[in-house]
Amino acid sequence: KFDTTNVEDMDYMFHKCQLPENFTLGDKFDTSNVTNMDSMFFNCKLPENFTLGDKFDTSNATDMSHIFGNCKMSENFTLGDKFDTSNVTDISGMFQSCKLPENFTLGYKFDTSKVSHMENMFKNCQLPKDFILGNNFNTSKVIYMNGMFKHCKLPENFSLGNKFDTTNVEDMDYMFHKC
């Protein structure tokens, strides 16, 4: 049985992987103890109807840098109900070079209040129509925002929101370069 209950590090787990149709993480793919998800699905092709599953709990994760970088997502892909970023400090390159599916949202548990690294988060990313960062997209602790939206296609009426605070940011170079 593929039981991940005790796993703390899943960096590069599915790196450059082309998951087959009908692939599932299974009912034992528990990520509640994982702290490092760096590049977990980097450069990966997710099949149609792929879900992160009921046990994809990210509440203890601190590093989600490049988790979906250069990932090819199916049109119905979502982050699910347990995609909690409240303890994450690094989300650099999280959606770098992704085309996010229509109706994609970050969800209500996408909390960036502890994040210090956001560089290249949406670099080369195509955001869907009506995409919003959400009410929990707090940037008050962010130090690095360089290249955050570099070469990104922003949707019409896009807004940074009312919690986009750059008071502590030290590096913003290329933040909106060729955006």
Side-chain angles (χ1 to χ4, degrees):
K1 74 184 180 185
F2 192 66
D3 187 344
T4 60
T5 306
N6 296 318
V7 178
E8 295 177 8
D9 192 337
M10 289 187 173
D11 68 325
Y12 288 89
M13 187 169 191
F14 296 103
H15 180 243
K16 292 188 176 182
C17 190
Q18 185 168 343
L19 301 175
E21 288 302 314
N22 301 316
F23 177 83
T24 176
L25 295 174
D27 60 354
K28 301 281 187 196
F29 198 84
D30 181 348
T31 59
S32 60
N33 287 314
V34 177
T35 57
N36 187 359
M37 292 183 165
D38 174 19
S39 302
M40 188 172 178
F41 294 101
F42 186 84
N43 208 18
C44 184
K45 184 178 187 285
L46 303 179
E48 285 298 315
N49 302 315
F50 175 80
T51 68
L52 296 174
D54 294 334
K55 298 205 175 182
F56 200 88
D57 178 349
T58 60
S59 59
N60 284 314
T62 56
D63 186 349
M64 285 186 160
S65 58
H66 302 95
I67 186 171
F68 297 111
N70 205 36
C71 183
K72 295 182 184 37
M73 299 174 176
S74 63
E75 275 305 309
N76 56 357
F77 179 77
T78 69
L79 295 177
D81 294 335
K82 295 189 176 181
F83 202 86
D84 178 348
T85 59
S86 60
N87 286 309
V88 178
T89 58
D90 189 347
I91 54 175
S92 57
M94 182 179 246
F95 298 108
Q96 181 174 335
S97 299
C98 275
K99 179 183 181 236
L100 299 179
E102 287 300 315
N103 302 315
F104 181 85
T105 68
L106 296 175
Y108 66 95
K109 291 186 178 179
F110 201 91
D111 177 352
T112 58
S113 60
K114 292 183 181 174
V115 174
S116 58
H117 290 266
M118 262 185 198
E119 61 266 31
N120 300 318
M121 184 177 181
F122 295 106
K123 178 183 176 185
N124 293 327
C125 184
Q126 186 174 342
L127 301 176
K129 181 180 160 196
D130 301 323
F131 179 80
I132 60 169
L133 295 175
N135 293 329
N136 294 323
F137 204 88
N138 179 336
T139 59
S140 62
K141 293 196 171 131
V142 177
I143 298 170
Y144 305 101
M145 281 185 174
N146 45 303
M148 187 173 178
F149 295 102
K150 183 179 179 181
H151 297 276
C152 181
K153 183 174 178 178
L154 298 176
E156 198 172 317
N157 301 319
F158 178 77
S159 168
L160 295 174
N162 60 358
K163 292 187 179 176
F164 203 87
D165 178 356
T166 58
T167 306
N168 291 312
V169 176
E170 295 175 10
D171 190 349
M172 275 187 190
D173 62 332
Y174 296 97
M175 188 170 170
F176 292 101
H177 182 72
K178 294 188 178 182
C179 189

